[in-house]
Amino acid sequence: MIILVGASASGKTEVAKYLLEAHGMKKAVTHTSRLPRQGEKDGVDYHFVSKEEFDRLYQDGKMVERVEYNDNYYGCSKAELSDDKCVILEPHGFHKFQSLNDPRLISFHLVADEKTRRKRMRERGDSEEAIESRLKLDREAFSSEEVGKPDFLIQTGNRPIEEIGEEIYRLYQEKLGE
């Protein structure tokens, strides 16, 4: 499984999309206790479950991790772990995956400087207030101390997504082959 970790606008989502399209990888479908938004499908966007069901899955040891955000749970189940999948994680979730000590979970910390990330956020239409807030929060949340030790550190800077995606896929295949 490819694990992508990185601050806002570091390229995680675009790289994940590239890996799905170019290499046939699948998105790990995570669980949430929130209600589906318009257009979202159960089993495609998320596995939508009640808070009680999420708690039961977590207590039964079926979840790798659980985070609470806006009074809802989010997390990835152990059933989603597979070589042909990709997941995007925050540092807390990443540490939970690392604690599994599974050599088939290959992690990549995507890094871009704030100037580049600010430009990307503006291009995707984020408000200036939201941009400054995310940059401030991400300075601490995605520091190298908080992220820890991924298998690979990938500078995304001004590189094309295709180039980054190909580098990640190549490194992933090489690491799986070790």
Side-chain angles (χ1 to χ4, degrees), residues 62-143:
K62 294 187 176 172
M63 303 299 289
V64 177
E65 44 104 25
R66 172 179 69 181
V67 296
E68 189 168 354
Y69 180 74
N70 282 344
D71 201 34
N72 287 297
Y73 294 137
Y74 294 83
C76 188
S77 71
K78 291 178 180 174
E80 285 294 315
L81 303 181
S82 175
D83 286 351
D84 65 345
K85 292 190 178 175
C86 179
V87 66
I88 296 172
L89 299 172
E90 302 289 323
H92 170 78
F94 171 54
H95 295 301
K96 293 288 189 175
F97 271 73
Q98 279 187 310
S99 72
L100 297 174
N101 293 314
D102 184 340
R104 301 192 76 75
L105 301 174
I106 317 287
S107 56
F108 299 85
H109 182 187
L110 279 58
V111 179
D113 62 66
E114 280 192 15
K115 180 180 177 185
T116 300
R117 293 177 39 238
R118 179 179 279 112
K119 179 177 180 255
R120 289 175 181 169
M121 285 187 246
R122 283 183 179 137
E123 287 171 353
R124 69 184 188 194
D126 294 2
S127 71
E128 288 301 317
E129 183 179 324
I131 291 170
E132 292 311 315
S133 174
R134 282 310 312 212
L135 290 172
K136 182 179 178 190
L137 289 170
D138 287 352
R139 277 183 206 116
E140 185 175 321
F142 289 92
S143 68

Side-chain angles (χ1 to χ4, degrees), residues 31 49-63 66 73:
H31 283 67
V49 297
S50 67
K51 274 187 125 171
E52 295 74 25
E53 175 68 6
F54 200 115
D55 270 334
R56 188 184 64 70
L57 291 167
Y58 189 76
Q59 297 306 322
D60 289 349
K62 294 187 176 172
M63 303 299 289
R66 172 179 69 181
Y73 294 137

Side-chain angles (χ1 to χ4, degrees), residues 24-56:
M25 299 207 61
K26 298 177 184 86
K27 171 189 166 212
V29 180
T30 56
H31 283 67
T32 184
S33 64
R34 76 163 171 76
L35 295 173
R37 295 183 182 131
Q38 187 173 345
E40 288 183 328
K41 291 183 169 70
D42 186 45
V44 175
D45 298 290
Y46 285 98
H47 295 290
F48 294 99
V49 297
S50 67
K51 274 187 125 171
E52 295 74 25
E53 175 68 6
F54 200 115
D55 270 334
R56 188 184 64 70

